[in-house]
């Protein structure tokens, strides 16, 4: 899917990754266009002056900003930053474009690359210095509209993860420490990787409130003729989503791709035993691919003559293709094909006449099974705790910890400080919207103060 | 379509431009996927060391390369370049990936941004420091395959210009001076802007030959077991194409968009004269938009109440929407709509029952008319010359000059030197594939040596 590049933290995305990215984009772009988002493209570059306008924002991003200082052999008059995100690139123009309530809502989206020159462990997909994303930036007259959209978008992100990538996620709100730098509040979808015992942020939908509006002077004349300040959101998901999917479903044999995002859903492999009629077998394979393609199923033929069927099986298993169809002399004679599932290895012989119907049923089954299996594994990692000792035990056990919390920033800082270590500190992942019952009198596991909510805690990527 | 940005040479692409870019991309991406091109994404950054591997190539691009030298407050160990194009980014990996003839052809395409920090006049779309493009990079075992693909892609570029943007172009080969830095030969589609009397390169399809293969050591084992060097192509078109379209069709009232790329093909405007039944009129407008959308025509309603119909007419004319539909009380009574063409202003009343059919005919007619009109204007600028004096006269007259030429690099240099001036020097645009008859004994207009071909000369963007 990727190739390491000679600049640390940068990776080459190969077709197997890009085709997944394109499938996700197709879905998401169509959905946001229904919400009246319009495509924009803002520059890669931002001046130092503008980048620094929102104080919290620049504090959050400054250490990771890459600076262009030269062109050809000449020094630039002033260094120019490469966007780590585009709030400061866009908002001076929002200020210019928005005059009246009739200019609202303003809804921008762009698909682009961003650069965050991180020094912590670069990891393909999960933490790379350049990555691809979409960033939506929207402006409303009222907080109610902004609040509503934050959740509409979060639901689309949940669908990307659960319906497409078959990765179970929790919707929730980020803590004050973990929210977007400069924003009012951040919602996210959070996944969890059982093997490593770490949470991972899947995508974020931020309500920026009026903080950026103040800094960038984005106001409008309301219907009464008074000047008002706008309410803003920004939201993004990145190529990281592909990495979360890989970690969730991968096994000893390699990738396991959910059918909805698999560039090839069905690989057809001829199995020409000795003395078989290879022409007839190849013909049956081509016919199967043709029939499936006509039905809108992404099928392909591996007719390479210099590789054995067994070698091909391994290769396509490694690439994670959901279904393999084998056609040999016996299948030809019985007018059937053998179908093998990647997710659980089960084999079934089906009559060629039922091909499309059976393949559809199997693909739907795999898609559902992957999500169910991942959900069961994730759920098995969730531990509800109530005391500090239980918290530490669960953390050492690499669990996804659901803890009653006082929701105070100082307490999260304190927990981080007390859990520092080689594996990284514990932190909040989110306060899930789906809250278990919190009996009155429940106290915070860390501070002993009255608990406000149940929050997910753990180590994270 | 664009907004000026606070960094010179960078522009914000607004939805009216991006939607055109998306329509072009949809066509082109589907076509190259039929040619088995695969999507890739290579990093934005390239090390100095790799960038300099191909000597002619780096000489061509070095003066315009933007360099990242800092991240956060730290200096990088070595400066890192931002891609001006991705040959040097990709080819070290091609060398790694290609081992055998079975790995060929390799066909990569990426849609991305590139940066060329130019110091000559920045102009929106036409010459900007960052722009969007696709870049295709392909690798073949034989020169024949490479040659064939160069022309397949050039034909797709012609179709983008002529079938979509309604801009007439000439296919041809670039001179040695004007070819891609480091390549073997360059083909292009060339447009001409009558108003300014300048040629403009529309898109280029390069055969790189084996130059990069030598520098980056890209070889394969052929079917006889011998090591051979690959043949490579690269090809690109950019957001400049939108600029060429704007300059070609625009008039005093603003843009004129060809229907195939118009984000809105039909704008429907209610014309509620005094005492009219505004509800019924708005209903008829909504019904028209609905009917057209259902038929796959991009129609929209301008129902804003605070603007007069006349103001709306001007605004949509300025935006270049191909057809305007007006519905007033009289139209309602007669069960008709009034349709006004943007390209020639003609008005026609058609029965509402014929709406879809008539709109389709009109849109096709506008598309054809824009290309024909542009072609007639362009053709009227072509002047065949045979002597230096005629050449200079035609150049002063801002013509597209077709001249018999000896095809020698020194002679082109000499012509450039002799025509230097405020408006810029004359240069070759291309040697068109479609060659007029060249009587034997014809001599070069500039050198007096035997002419090899007819070439287009002029000033250019």
């Amino acid at each position: 899917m990727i190739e390491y590049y000679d600049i640390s933290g940068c990776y080459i995305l190969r077709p197997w990754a890009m085709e997944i990215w394109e499938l996700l984009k197709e879905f998401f772009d169509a959905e946001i266009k229904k919400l009246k988002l319009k495509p924009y493209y803002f520059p890669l570059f931002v001046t130092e002056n503008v980048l620094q306008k929102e104080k919290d924002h620049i504090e959050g991003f400054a250490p990771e900003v890459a600076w262009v200082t030269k062109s050809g052999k000449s020094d630039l008059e002033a260094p120019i930053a490469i966007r780590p995100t585009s709030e400061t690139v866009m908002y001076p123009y929002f200020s210019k474009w928005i005059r009246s309530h009739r200019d609202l809502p303003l809804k921008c989206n762009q698909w682009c690359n961003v650069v965050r020159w991180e020094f912590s462990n670069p990891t393909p997909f999960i933490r790379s210095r350049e990555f691809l994303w979409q960033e939506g930036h929207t402006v409303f007259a009222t907080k109610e509209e902004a609040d509503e959209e934050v959740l509409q978008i979060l639901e689309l992100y949940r669908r990307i993860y659960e319906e497409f990538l078959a990765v179970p996620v929790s919707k929730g709100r980020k803590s004050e420490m973990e929210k977007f730098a400069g924003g009012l509040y951040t919602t996210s979808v959070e996944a969890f990787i059982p093997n490593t015992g770490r949470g991972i942020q899947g995508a974020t939908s931020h309500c920026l409130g009026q903080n950026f509006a103040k800094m960038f002077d984005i106001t409008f004349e309301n219907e009464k003729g008074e000047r008002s300040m706008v309410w803003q959101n920004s939201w993004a998901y990145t190529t990281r989503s592909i990495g979360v999917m890989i970690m969730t479903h991968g096994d000893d044999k390699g990738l396991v791709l959910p059918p909805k995002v698999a560039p090839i859903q069905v690989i057809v492999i001829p199995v020409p035993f000795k003395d078989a009629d290879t022409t007839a077998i190849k013909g049956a394979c081509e016919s199967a691919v043709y029939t499936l393609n006509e039905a809108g199923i992404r099928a392909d033929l591996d007719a390479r003559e210099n590789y054995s069927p067994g070698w091909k099986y391994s290769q396509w298993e490694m690439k994670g293709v959901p279904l393999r169809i084998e056609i040999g002399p016996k299948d030809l004679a019985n007018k059937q094909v053998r179908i093998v599932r990647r997710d659980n290895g089960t084999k079934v012989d089906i009559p060629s006449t039922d091909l499309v119907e059976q393949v559809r049923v199997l693909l739907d089954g795999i898609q559902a099974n992957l999500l169910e299996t991942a959900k069961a594994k994730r759920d098995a990692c969730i531990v509800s705790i109530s005391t500090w000792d239980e918290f530490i035990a669960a953390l050492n056990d690499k669990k996804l910890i659901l803890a009653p919390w006082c929701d105070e920033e100082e307490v999260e800082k304190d927990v981080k400080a007390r859990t520092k270590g080689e594996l990284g500190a514990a932190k909040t992942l989110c306060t899930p919207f789906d809250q278990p019952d919190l009996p009155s009198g429940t106290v915070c596991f860390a501070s002993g103060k009255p608990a406000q909510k149940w929050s997910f805690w753990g180590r994270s990527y």
Side-chain angles (χ1 to χ4, degrees), chain A:
Chain A
M1 292 189 122
I2 65 117
E3 173 80 60
Y4 283 78
Y5 189 65
D6 72 339
I7 296 173
S8 165
C10 293
Y11 306 95
I12 298 163
L13 299 181
R14 299 184 69 168
W16 208 242
M18 282 306 290
E19 283 167 356
I20 294 173
W21 185 242
E22 287 183 355
L23 287 162
L24 294 179
K25 179 174 172 175
E26 191 182 11
F27 161 73
F28 189 80
D29 203 58
E31 288 297 321
I32 63 175
K33 279 179 175 157
K34 287 183 206 161
L35 296 175
K36 308 282 183 200
L37 267 289
K38 290 284 184 183
Y40 281 75
Y41 186 75
F42 284 78
L44 175 67
F45 299 118
V46 55
T47 61
E48 192 166 11
N49 184 25
V50 173
L51 184 65
Q52 293 177 338
K53 270 218 170 165
E54 213 294 330
K55 205 181 114 289
D56 290 339
H57 183 69
I58 185 62
E59 273 180 20
F61 286 103
E64 301 173 358
V65 169
W67 293 95
V68 176
T69 62
K70 284 175 60 180
S71 75
K73 299 195 165 182
S74 326
D75 289 333
L76 298 186
E77 276 180 43
I80 291 175
I82 300 181
R83 61 179 167 221
T85 175
S86 300
E87 280 75 7
T88 58
V89 174
M90 294 181 175
Y91 299 172
Y93 298 89
F94 287 10
S95 167
K96 191 170 163 185
W97 296 339
I98 294 166
R99 289 275 166 267
S100 141
H101 62 92
R102 290 189 292 264
D103 302 320
L104 296 177
L106 175 66
K107 299 188 175 191
C108 302
N109 183 68
Q110 70 181 9
W111 294 90
C112 65
N113 54 345
V114 288
V115 171
R116 297 180 186 175
W117 208 267
E118 307 213 33
F119 289 91
S120 53
N121 268 350
T123 312
F125 293 116
I126 302 303
R127 193 172 294 279
S128 56
R129 284 177 170 171
E130 180 192 6
F131 55 86
L132 302 181
W133 76 355
Q134 64 61 227
E135 51 180 323
H137 294 263
T138 51
V139 190
F140 299 94
T142 64
K143 181 163 188 296
E144 289 65 37
E145 290 168 275
D147 286 339
E148 186 191 355
E149 193 213 45
V150 163
L151 296 183
Q152 282 175 328
I153 298 299
L154 195 67
E155 171 61 10
L156 292 179
Y157 290 150
R158 184 197 67 76
R159 291 181 62 193
I160 282 181
Y161 275 93
E162 298 198 333
E163 291 181 13
F164 284 78
L165 300 170
V167 171
V169 290
S170 303
K171 287 187 192 177
R173 184 162 164 159
K174 293 294 232 183
S175 69
E176 281 301 299
M177 267 192 90
E178 294 294 327
K179 76 176 186 185
F180 182 69
L184 180 60
Y185 67 88
T186 289
T187 68
S188 69
V189 290
E190 297 283 330
F192 185 80
I193 311 299
N195 292 347
T196 60
R198 286 178 189 272
I200 184 159
Q201 181 176 294
T204 46
S205 180
H206 314 292
C207 180
L208 304 177
Q210 299 185 308
N211 304 341
F212 286 88
K214 274 175 206 145
M215 293 306 138
F216 289 95
D217 190 25
I218 313 177
T219 62
F220 67 102
E221 190 178 278
N222 68 21
E223 286 170 14
K224 295 175 202 151
E226 305 154 347
R227 290 227 73 77
S228 294
M229 197 152 280
V230 302
W231 292 86
Q232 291 180 271
N233 293 340
S234 73
W235 30 270
Y237 83 96
T238 80
T239 36
R240 163 182 276 203
S241 53
I242 300 172
V244 178
M245 183 267 288
I246 294 170
M247 291 195 293
T248 299
H249 306 301
D251 63 18
D252 294 346
K253 292 179 179 174
L255 291 176
V256 180
L257 296 183
K260 273 201 170 181
V261 297
I264 297 175
Q265 297 171 311
V266 184
I267 186 72
V268 180
I269 298 174
V271 189
F273 286 108
K274 247 186 205 165
D275 306 324
D277 180 348
T278 53
T279 312
I281 289 175
K282 196 163 165 249
C285 288
E286 288 167 350
S287 161
V289 171
Y290 180 85
T291 306
L292 292 169
N293 284 343
E294 285 294 295
I297 294 163
R298 295 187 290 274
D300 207 352
L301 174 64
D302 186 349
R304 290 175 293 175
E305 283 174 7
N306 45 316
Y307 297 102
S308 72
W311 190 91
K312 291 180 186 175
Y313 297 169
S314 302
Q315 205 202 18
W316 292 106
E317 281 173 353
M318 192 185 69
K319 288 174 79 89
V321 169
L323 287 179
R324 173 173 87 231
I325 289 183
E326 308 168 5
I327 304 181
K330 197 186 122 205
D331 304 300
L332 211 58
N334 296 340
K335 293 183 177 153
Q336 66 181 30
V337 302
R338 166 155 290 191
I339 307 192
V340 186
R341 281 173 69 150
R342 173 66 179 89
D343 61 333
N344 60 15
T346 58
K347 296 176 186 187
V348 55
D349 294 327
I350 61 136
S352 302
T353 45
D354 290 353
L355 182 66
V356 168
E357 197 188 334
Q358 289 297 317
V359 164
R360 282 218 179 101
V361 169
L362 285 166
L363 291 175
D364 288 349
I366 294 172
Q367 185 77 34
N369 178 51
L370 286 176
L371 178 59
E372 267 170 45
T373 305
K375 196 167 176 317
K377 281 191 196 164
R378 194 267 320 255
D379 289 350
C381 295
I382 300 177
V383 173
S384 289
I385 60 100
S386 53
T387 67
W388 179 258
D389 288 348
E390 286 171 6
F391 178 78
I392 292 296
L395 190 66
N396 289 340
D397 224 16
K398 300 189 173 178
K399 296 298 187 189
L400 175 51
I401 305 167
L402 194 57
W405 182 39
C406 61
D407 205 2
E408 289 184 12
E409 196 167 350
E410 286 309 311
V411 174
E412 182 168 8
K413 275 188 194 158
D414 184 53
V415 172
K416 277 195 169 176
R418 289 162 74 187
T419 56
K420 251 187 195 163
E422 253 179 52
L423 295 172
K427 63 179 190 180
T428 55
L429 304 172
C430 73
T431 295
F433 293 150
D434 186 9
Q435 282 279 316
D437 194 40
L438 186 76
S440 79
T442 307
V443 296
C444 172
F445 75 103
S447 69
K449 296 180 189 174
Q452 300 299 322
K453 292 271 184 181
W454 290 94
S455 292
F456 279 121
W457 291 73
R459 295 199 182 89
S460 85
Y461 280 91

